[in-house]
Amino acid sequence: MTGSAQRPLLFLDVDGPLIPFGATPRQRPDGYPTYRTGATPGKPESNPLLSRIDPALGSRLTALGCDLVWATTWMDEANDCIAPWLGLPELPVVAWPEPAYDDELDRWDRLHWKTRLLVDRAAGRTFVWVDDEITGADRAWVAAHHPGPALLHRVDPAQGLTDADFAALDAWLRANR
């Protein structure tokens, strides 16, 4: 298949988009909602914040019609713990370099350390990157260096993915298939 005939990729971060964090008591006086699911995560004790992930997000992500890819420091643990919680199959995982990626060019360009790696992984395919740390510098760099359509969608980490986020993702994907 050529790049234009393939489904778009959706690179998905976990902390922030799926697990909301950082809200002040004033923003969330009752704290974050918690959820239960029939699925048993592989290592539920590995992160007590897993219960903040709304299990309904799995079907909403699948409905976007993308090839989902974990783009998170959770790496393979995302498949062990989070995919079952969301009712998702095992997903591809972006392998980050060891030790933690620290490129002098990224610091110079004020890029997120994931940006160049995700553009490389996309290899010209249409993609969406959902993360809570995306900046204008990342968007400008991707626009200049990625030959296909790309949406870098920043999620408010205090809220996680919302209806408005899904509406924006769906509209962009419909326009860029």
Side-chain angles (χ1 to χ4, degrees):
M1 259 192 262
T2 64
S4 60
Q6 294 175 319
R7 288 171 20 130
L9 295 167
L10 190 147
F11 294 116
L12 183 60
D13 185 31
V14 169
D15 296 312
L18 296 179
I19 301 175
F21 68 90
T24 66
R26 191 171 137 223
Q27 291 171 305
R28 289 207 180 255
D30 297 326
Y32 283 99
T34 57
Y35 304 89
R36 293 195 182 278
T37 178
T40 304
K43 301 174 190 171
E45 70 283 355
S46 65
N47 191 319
L49 299 180
L50 285 177
S51 65
R52 286 188 186 176
I53 301 175
D54 180 353
L57 294 176
S59 60
R60 295 187 78 182
L61 288 163
T62 302
L64 291 172
C66 299
D67 290 339
L68 300 173
V69 179
W70 295 119
T72 173
T73 56
W74 282 68
M75 300 198 42
D76 290 320
E77 281 189 86
N79 279 321
D80 296 339
C81 298
I82 298 169
W85 184 265
L86 292 173
L88 296 173
E90 185 171 311
L91 301 176
V93 177
V94 175
W96 309 117
E98 288 289 332
Y101 191 70
D102 186 21
D103 189 299
E104 191 171 318
L105 287 174
D106 290 347
R107 285 192 309 270
W108 178 260
D109 291 337
R110 297 182 345 263
L111 295 181
H112 191 284
W113 59 271
K114 294 179 184 177
T115 306
R116 292 177 203 269
L117 295 166
L118 294 179
V119 168
D120 287 347
R121 175 75 183 256
R125 282 177 70 177
T126 298
F127 78 89
V128 174
W129 174 21
V130 176
D131 204 304
D132 61 306
E133 297 181 340
I134 294 168
T135 67
D138 300 305
R139 288 186 183 92
W141 193 90
V142 170
H145 294 91
H146 181 66
L151 172 65
L152 279 63
H153 185 80
R154 185 186 178 281
V155 172
D156 178 353
Q159 298 296 316
L161 281 164
T162 65
D163 290 343
D165 293 310
F166 277 101
L169 295 170
D170 184 59
W172 189 89
L173 286 162
R174 287 180 187 276
N176 287 282
R177 285 205 194 328

